[in-house]
Every structure is written in C-alpha cells, then in structure tokens.
Amino acid sequence: TALAGEGPVRVVTSPLQRARAPAEAIAAATGLSVEIDDRLIELDYGEWDGLPMGRVPPEAWARWHADPGFAPPGGESLLDVAARVEDFCAETLAGERGPVIAVSHVSPIKAAVCAALGADPLVTWRMFCSVASITRIGARPDGASVLLGFNETAHLAAIGSA
C-alpha cells in the first residue's frame, strides 16, 4: 500500500514466487494486473546456489568480487545481470507515462542503481539492500536514468504497527 498512492500505471515482477506474491498484493491495492518479466529475476548463482559462502573457494570468491565479468560455474556474471536490467530500465523508463512498480531481487536492484549512477557493477558489493525496501529510479528529459531513492524502509514501520 506504500506505493498505491503513487498512481502506478504498471506492476511488473520477476517470475520467482517470492517476488510475485508482493507484486500481486501491490496489483490488488492499485487495481492493476501483474506482468512477469524474466529480466527482473535474481542473479543465477549456478553451482553456488544454496551453497554457504564458506564453501565457495576463497580464490573464486576474491575473483568474483574483483571481476564483474566473472560468473560462478554455470551461473551469471554481474555484467550479465547489468545488461538485462539496463535493458529493462531503458525500455520501461522510455515508454511510460507514470510510475512503474517493478518487484525484483537484490542483485537486479543493485544493478539498476549502478546503471542510474553510471557506476561500475562492482559497486554492488558496497551496497546493502533490505528485504521489502523500495528503490526509485527515474528518467531525466534526455532519457538517462537517475537514482531517486535507495533502500527506503519507512513503509515497513507501518506494517509492524498494524
């Protein structure tokens, strides 16, 4: 409901259920339908999916944090995530006449922030993104994206007091 008053024109979500459920609640509160876009899915960790960080070889962990083109075995690099998220943002920001609510995951959100700031994808390792937080990205008149807000959590206090 924190976003219902913003007058959104679309609700778009990752196909993963943990994103679809809140997207459906937002859609119900706004009277919109939910659209699924695979570009919003979480980074593919490949063979590292579900593996405790301590089990990732230290040299691989170090390389991943130093090289945005490095991908976990069978997974996706930060550059891969950045490319698909930048494509989503460019397409969405260019064509809409009102706010679009995109429900996604930590890595794609951080990739969108890096794109809006023109920052290296490795900056993602220096960001913390809370669960159920709101990040806002807009477009300047020249079409470039701009960061309007990051990791906003004030709306969660209202949920806790309800």
Side-chain angles (χ1 to χ4, degrees):
T1 59
L3 298 171
E6 306 253 339
V9 296
R10 290 173 62 199
V11 177
V12 187
T13 186
S14 155
L16 298 181
Q17 185 57 37
R18 65 182 187 256
R20 289 176 64 176
E24 289 167 2
I26 293 166
T30 59
L32 298 168
S33 60
V34 174
E35 302 171 41
I36 295 175
D37 193 313
D38 290 339
R39 295 174 294 183
L40 296 176
I41 200 165
E42 179 59 286
L43 181 143
D44 182 351
Y45 292 93
E47 294 175 18
W48 294 358
D49 192 27
L51 193 66
M53 290 188 308
R55 301 261 329 264
V56 175
E59 62 280 358
W61 188 256
R63 182 162 176 224
W64 195 25
H65 282 77
D67 177 3
F70 175 81
E76 185 176 33
S77 73
L78 293 177
L79 291 177
D80 295 332
V81 175
R84 65 179 161 83
V85 171
E86 286 177 31
D87 181 61
F88 171 81
C89 289
E91 178 184 301
T92 303
L93 292 172
E96 294 302 336
R97 297 184 187 270
V100 174
I101 298 174
V103 183
S104 190
H105 310 277
V106 170
S107 296
I109 292 167
K110 290 179 177 183
V113 169
C114 285
L117 295 175
D120 186 296
L122 290 175
V123 171
T124 64
W125 300 118
R126 295 175 175 251
M127 292 183 219
F128 178 81
C129 189
S130 298
V131 173
S133 64
I134 297 171
T135 294
R136 299 168 194 267
I137 296 179
R140 295 189 319 217
D142 65 2
S145 60
V146 60
L147 182 63
L148 302 173
F150 175 68
N151 200 38
E152 299 172 9
T153 58
H155 63 284
L156 299 176
I159 294 170
S161 63

